[in-house]
């Protein structure tokens, strides 16, 4: 029996360090060794084959088990990128003639996959605005197989009501797939809220150090077997070194996500007091449209926030040129604080008017807050605003 001070199920910080690792005995290394080998010697007369593209080698397996434990899923699979994860996750669910209902608030690469690639394979995709709840039920068809959403949403920090969507999906007998990249399993476990599949760009918070590209799919063991079949033939497996770095990055996941969330809250509150900034998008602020649902569903509001500058595009350009500590760089969820202007990155394919209509006007900047001292990040923003 567990002692009173030892919880029966380990906490998330403990799972992040130890989850899925083999038992250690005297003489064993404390850190997971990196085994940079693609192939392994095979028993004569056996078809058991270890091969990196099959996702079954030691550095792949330990990190897959750890992420499954963090998500509260039966199984998880690590792939070579977030896009590889999304593609294989959906290829395992959809067949020609099927229909996918997607939120319209999704990552640009995912949108391209749905609009440019899936129709070529005979898969129809419809987009629905999460603010228009009644449209969702109406958009579901006889041949709808899955609902795809991203929450929290990049870059507006909107938060979707996953339990409500899970009820809809269950009623209609379709799978609910959630891209939970921005939350990480520290702030949200969508499976506990009724989702069937969870996707991550592990390039972001899960690894957290801006040095590898990886993706994750988590779900039931039988579904993950199906995703693995897709990964093997479409060639989306990760490299052992990327898995080793991901496993190392995961050890500090709880610390990093907590720290960047605390920093983001302080910075969001500070930004809200500045006259040069007309609007702050952060679900931790009471005036954010999804503050109540975020408080209910998330364990933390996360490290991503967005600001709108009073001087529009020209002010944004001046601001970016003056920054010293904060780097102007794509991606998010790492230890360094980064800033991007969606009009030149994720939303460059849209006109200024189209962007404004979806809440991303010129002068909109997305900040991915890192783990530096909040005071230093604020000082950099303050000097760049002048
Ligand atoms: C970055 C990102 C992706 C794509 O991940 P890659 O690892 O770059 O392939 C997908 N979804 C979200 C929400 C992302 O931020």
């Amino acid at each position: 029996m567990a002692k009173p001070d030892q919880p029966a199920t380990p906490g998330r910080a403990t799972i992040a360090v130890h989850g899925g690792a083999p038992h250690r005995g005297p003489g064993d290394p404390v850190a997971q060794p990196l085994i940079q080998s693609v192939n392994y010697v095979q028993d004569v007369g056996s078809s058991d084959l270890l091969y990196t593209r099959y996702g079954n080698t030691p550095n792949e397996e330990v990190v897959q088990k750890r992420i499954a434990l963090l998500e509260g899923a039966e199984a998880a699979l690590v792939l070579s990128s977030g896009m590889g994860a999304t593609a294989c996750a959906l290829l395992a669910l959809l067949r020609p003639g099927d229909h996918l209902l997607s939120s319209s608030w999704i990552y640009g690469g995912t949108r391209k996959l749905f609009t440019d690639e899936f129709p070529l394979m005979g898969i129809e995709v419809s987009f629905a605005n999460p603010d228009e709840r009644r449209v969702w039920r109406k958009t579901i068809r006889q041949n709808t197989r899955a609902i795809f959403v991203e929450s929290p949403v990049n870059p507006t920090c909107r938060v979707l009501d996953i339990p409500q969507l899970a009820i809809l999906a269950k009623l209609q007998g379709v799978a609910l797939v959630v891209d939970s990249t921005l939350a990480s399993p520290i702030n949200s476990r969508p499976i506990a809220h009724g989702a069937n599949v969870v996707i991550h760009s592990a390039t972001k918070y899960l690894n957290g150090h801006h040095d590898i590209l990886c993706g994750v799919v988590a779900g039931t063991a039988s579904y993950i077997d199906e995703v693995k079949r897709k990964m093997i033939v479409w060639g989306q497996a990760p490299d052992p070194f990327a898995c080793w770095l991901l496993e190392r990055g995961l050890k500090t996941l709880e610390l990093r996500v907590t720290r960047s969330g605390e920093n983001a809250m302080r910075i969001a509150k500070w930004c809200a007091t500045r006259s040069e900034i007309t609007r702050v998008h952060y679900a931790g602020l009471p005036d954010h449209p999804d503050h109540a649902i975020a408080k209910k569903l998330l364990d933390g509001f996360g490290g991503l926030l967005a600001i709108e500058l009073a001087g529009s595009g020209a002010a944004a350009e001046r601001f970016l040129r003056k920054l010293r500590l904060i780097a102007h760089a794509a991606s998010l969820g790492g230890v360094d604080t980064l800033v991007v202007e969606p009009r030149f990155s994720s939303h460059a394919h849209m006109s200024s008017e189209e962007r404004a209509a979806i809440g991303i006007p010129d002068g909109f900047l997305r900040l991915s807050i890192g783990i530096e001292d909040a005071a230093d990040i604020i000082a950099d923003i303050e000097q760049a605003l002048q």
Side-chain angles (χ1 to χ4, degrees), residues 73-117:
E74 272 178 35
L77 187 68
V78 174
L79 298 96
S80 57
S81 70
M83 282 307 299
T86 304
C88 292
L90 291 170
L91 286 172
L93 282 172
L94 304 165
R95 301 284 175 272
D98 286 349
H99 172 250
L100 170 70
L101 171 55
S102 171
S103 162
S104 53
W105 302 341
I106 54 169
Y107 178 73
T110 310
R111 197 181 176 96
K112 267 203 193 114
L113 177 72
F114 293 173
T115 57
D116 300 2
E117 300 299 321

Side-chain angles (χ1 to χ4, degrees), residues 22-206:
H23 175 74
R24 288 178 304 216
D28 287 340
V30 171
Q32 286 299 312
L34 165 63
I35 306 175
Q36 189 69 20
S37 182
V38 161
N39 45 359
Y40 288 72
V41 177
Q42 192 178 350
D43 212 4
V44 177
S46 160
S47 61
D48 284 347
L49 190 70
L50 295 190
Y51 191 63
T52 296
R53 184 161 46 75
Y54 291 7
N56 61 4
T57 59
N59 292 106
E60 293 172 294
E61 289 214 313
V62 66
V63 76
Q64 287 166 4
K65 285 183 192 150
R66 188 166 305 170
I67 292 168
L69 288 166
L70 283 167
E71 281 295 347
E74 272 178 35
L77 187 68
V78 174
L79 298 96
S80 57
S81 70
M83 282 307 299
T86 304
C88 292
L90 291 170
L91 286 172
L93 282 172
L94 304 165
R95 301 284 175 272
D98 286 349
H99 172 250
L100 170 70
L101 171 55
S102 171
S103 162
S104 53
W105 302 341
I106 54 169
Y107 178 73
T110 310
R111 197 181 176 96
K112 267 203 193 114
L113 177 72
F114 293 173
T115 57
D116 300 2
E117 300 299 321
F118 280 8
L120 300 178
M121 307 173 84
I123 297 163
E124 290 178 285
V125 187
S126 306
F127 294 94
N129 181 334
D131 269 342
E132 294 162 8
R133 289 222 186 136
R134 298 212 341 255
V135 173
W136 285 70
R137 196 176 299 269
K138 280 196 222 144
T139 312
I140 290 187
R141 307 181 194 164
Q142 201 100 48
N143 60 339
T144 305
R145 290 286 167 270
I147 296 176
F148 181 93
V149 299
E150 177 182 311
S151 182
V153 179
N154 170 24
T156 52
C157 306
R158 296 294 304 264
V159 178
L160 273 57
D161 191 338
I162 301 295
Q164 184 116 23
L165 288 162
I167 292 170
L168 174 68
K170 198 161 180 198
L171 262 173
Q172 305 288 331
V174 306
L176 177 61
V177 183
V178 179
D179 181 338
S180 191
T181 297
L182 263 61
S184 91
I186 301 304
N187 288 342
S188 173
R189 271 85 52 207
I191 287 172
H193 291 141
N196 305 101
V197 178
V198 177
I199 292 172
H200 286 279
S201 166
T203 312
K204 317 292 170 55
Y205 288 102
L206 293 181

Side-chain angles (χ1 to χ4, degrees), residues 75 77 92 220-232:
L77 187 68
T220 64
S222 59
Y223 167 72
I224 292 300
D225 278 347
E226 203 54 46
V227 181
K228 197 184 256 189
R229 271 192 273 281
K230 299 296 173 190
M231 177 183 86
I232 291 170

